């Protein structure tokens, strides 16, 4: 998820690194530096933080050099530059077209981290109506509330694609003339999109807005009635604004094939130059994922510390963390659930590859060697 703040965290200085996850004995070890992009939210920081705090990066000979990022586009630029400043990083679905883009310095998906529930559709109370009284918003009720409305989204990040998929889900089974259609002044957001009708009553206007501006926009007098955003903005809104309610979430409203996995990607050049380091990096992430699945709240606290967030900032309900059994089952064969999640992500983002650029196949975009090797060897 989300703008890059090219601030290398203070954890990188030797003293802080030793305090956070190393030891005096490890200070003399020949650790290999890996430049890692993380995000200051529930999905983007805890896994790397656990790998550091539990000594897993050190176990596998890695010294992590963290850069805190706030959104994906600049992170991708840093990773794809000729003189790259990042080797690997966590991303949400918003910029997931980059590993599919076959032009220039390429990236690959290398690890499925978690299923994100951090993306939410929020609205001021009263905008949507629970007409059947079942104390939740069903698809038809959400569709009715969106008709003719304005939705504020940072379109280049995960919620941009997430909202398109939500509209597609709401339109499922409807006649074309009854479907919602999206309009936006941000032309790139509508690339490859075809409206099912042009009935003004069915139009949903998407206004490109920084995710960090959503809490203020929904505050009293802010002017935003409906937003689609990601954590921590969404969590902040719900915790501080009693006039706002959650309308839709990934886990609550999307089928499995529409659930967005958050992933780790890496520079292909870095992988080619450092295949053993790349495998060790994934080994550390995988072991960290197993620990996280059994220690969710502790993992959240580690993530808060690493990303320099106040205690209690992260909400574990914003993600679904796979367990050891999940990973083993999901990646047992190419037809299993892990590949289904990854293919769904691929299919949802392949249309965002810039026109004229080579498009990589799914197998070219997802280098599954490292994750399957880790699952096989780490028992």
């Amino acid at each position: 998820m989300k703008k890059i703040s090219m601030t290398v965290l203070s954890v990188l200085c030797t003293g802080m690194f030793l305090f956070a996850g190393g030891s005096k004995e490890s200070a003399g070890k020949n650790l290999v530096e890996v430049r890692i992009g993380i995000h200051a939210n529930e999905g983007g920081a805890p896994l790397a933080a656990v790998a550091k705090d539990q000594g897993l990066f050190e176990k596998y000979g890695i010294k992590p050099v963290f850069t805190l990022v706030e959104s994906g586009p600049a992170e991708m630029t840093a990773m794809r530059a000729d003189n790259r400043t990042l080797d690997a990083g966590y991303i949400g679905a918003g910029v997931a077209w980059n590993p599919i883009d076959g032009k220039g310095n390429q990236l690959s998906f290398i690890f499925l981290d978690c299923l994100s529930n951090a993306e939410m559709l929020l609205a001021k109370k009263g905008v949507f109506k629970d007409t059947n009284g079942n104390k939740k918003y069903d698809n038809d009720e959400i569709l009715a509330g969106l008709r003719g409305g304005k939705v504020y989204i940072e379109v280049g990040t995960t919620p941009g694609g997430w909202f398109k998929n939500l509209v597609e889900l709401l339109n499922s089974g409807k006649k074309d003339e009854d479907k919602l259609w999206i309009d936006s002044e941000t032309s790139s957001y509508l690339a490859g999109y075809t409206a099912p009708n042009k009935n003004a009553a069915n139009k949903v206007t998407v206004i490109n807005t920084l995710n960090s501006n959503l809490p203020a926009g929904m505050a009293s007098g802010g002017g935003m009635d409906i937003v689609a955003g990601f954590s921590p903005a969404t969590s902040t809104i719900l915790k501080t604004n009693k006039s706002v309610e959650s309308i839709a979430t990934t886990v609550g409203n999307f089928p499995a094939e529409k659930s967005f996995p958050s992933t780790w990607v890496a520079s292909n050049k870095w992988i080619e130059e450092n295949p053993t380091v790349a495998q060790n990096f994934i080994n550390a992430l995988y072991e960290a994922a197993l620990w996280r699945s059994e220690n969710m709240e502790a993992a959240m606290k580690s993530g808060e510390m690493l990303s320099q967030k106040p205690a209690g900032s992260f909400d574990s309900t914003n993600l679904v963390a796979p367990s050891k059994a999940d990973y083993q089952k999901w990646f047992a064969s190419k037809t299993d659930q892990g590949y289904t999640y990854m293919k769904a992500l691929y299919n949802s983002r392949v249309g965002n590859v810039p026109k004229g650029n080579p498009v990589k196949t799914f197998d070219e975009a997802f280098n599954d060697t490292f994750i399957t090797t880790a699952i096989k060897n780490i028992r």
Side-chain angles (χ1 to χ4, degrees), residues 85-100:
T85 55
L86 292 174
D87 302 314
Y90 167 96
I91 65 168
V95 295
W97 61 267
N98 281 268
I100 308 171

Side-chain angles (χ1 to χ4, degrees), residues 56 189 246 365:
L56 297 170
Y189 183 58
S246 175

Side-chain angles (χ1 to χ4, degrees), residues 25-282:
E25 292 180 357
S26 70
K29 289 185 178 180
N30 186 22
L31 303 179
V32 178
E33 287 191 354
V34 178
R35 298 168 296 180
I36 304 167
I38 62 169
H39 298 259
N41 54 44
E42 296 86 350
L47 191 65
V50 167
K52 178 183 71 66
D53 291 348
Q54 297 302 312
L56 297 170
F57 281 137
E58 179 188 341
K59 173 182 176 180
Y60 286 102
I62 291 170
K63 180 180 179 180
V65 179
F66 295 111
T67 296
L68 181 63
V69 302
E70 296 173 356
S71 70
E75 180 188 11
M76 297 296 90
T77 298
M79 203 176 296
R80 299 186 69 179
D82 289 338
N83 186 22
R84 72 176 184 274
T85 55
L86 292 174
D87 302 314
Y90 167 96
I91 65 168
V95 295
W97 61 267
N98 281 268
I100 308 171
D101 183 7
K103 184 177 180 179
N105 296 320
Q106 298 177 33
L107 308 178
S108 292
F109 297 111
I110 55 172
F111 191 74
L112 188 156
D113 186 317
C114 61
L115 300 179
S116 175
N117 201 34
E119 287 68 47
M120 296 184 182
L121 184 72
L122 305 179
K124 291 181 179 176
K125 292 178 180 178
V127 174
F128 291 80
K129 308 295 183 184
D130 178 18
T131 55
N132 62 12
N134 66 350
K135 297 184 179 180
K136 67 175 185 176
Y137 294 107
D138 299 322
N139 287 352
D140 286 346
E141 294 167 341
I142 299 172
L143 185 147
L146 287 172
R147 276 201 170 106
K150 295 179 180 178
V151 184
Y152 296 81
I153 311 171
E154 186 172 353
V155 299
T157 61
T158 304
W162 182 89
F163 183 71
K164 283 182 178 177
N165 278 271
L166 176 63
V167 170
E168 181 181 336
L169 178 66
L170 301 177
N171 284 338
S172 179
K174 300 284 190 298
K175 296 179 181 178
D176 282 350
E177 59 265 30
D178 295 328
K179 293 179 178 179
L180 296 174
W181 59 280
I182 299 171
D183 188 32
S184 178
E185 291 185 354
T186 306
S187 59
S188 61
Y189 183 58
L190 299 179
Y193 173 76
T194 302
N197 61 72
K198 285 296 182 180
N199 183 349
N202 295 335
K203 180 171 73 171
V204 182
T205 303
V206 170
I207 300 174
N208 191 18
T209 306
L210 287 174
N211 191 72
S212 57
N213 289 342
L214 299 183
M218 294 207 85
S220 178
M224 298 181 191
D225 291 338
I226 310 173
V227 306
F230 57 84
S231 181
T234 47
S235 295
T236 298
I237 292 168
L238 290 173
K239 288 177 181 178
T240 62
N241 194 333
K242 295 186 181 299
S243 68
V244 172
E245 61 182 340
S246 175
I247 305 301
T249 66
T250 304
V251 173
N253 296 81
F254 283 73
E257 61 272 16
K258 292 291 185 181
S259 297
F260 287 126
S262 296
T263 62
W264 286 76
V265 300
S267 158
N268 282 10
K269 286 186 178 180
W270 176 72
I271 293 172
E272 291 165 5
E273 294 165 0
N274 305 278
T276 301
V277 176
Q279 182 63 65
N280 286 336
F281 178 69
I282 295 303

Side-chain angles (χ1 to χ4, degrees), residues 298-351:
M300 295 299 106
K301 291 178 182 178
S302 288
E304 289 167 350
M305 292 180 63
L306 180 59
S307 56
Q308 301 177 339
K309 287 290 184 179
S313 297
F314 290 175
D315 185 348
S316 62
T317 61
N318 285 330
L319 61 88
V320 177
S323 66
K324 185 175 186 177
D326 289 331
Y327 277 113
Q328 291 175 340
K329 182 178 179 180
W330 289 2
F331 290 97
S333 75
K334 298 276 187 178
T335 60
D336 286 317
Q337 193 67 37
Y339 289 95
T340 299
Y341 286 131
M342 293 301 298
K343 286 178 180 177
L345 177 62
Y346 174 93
N347 290 335
S348 72
R349 291 295 173 265
V350 67

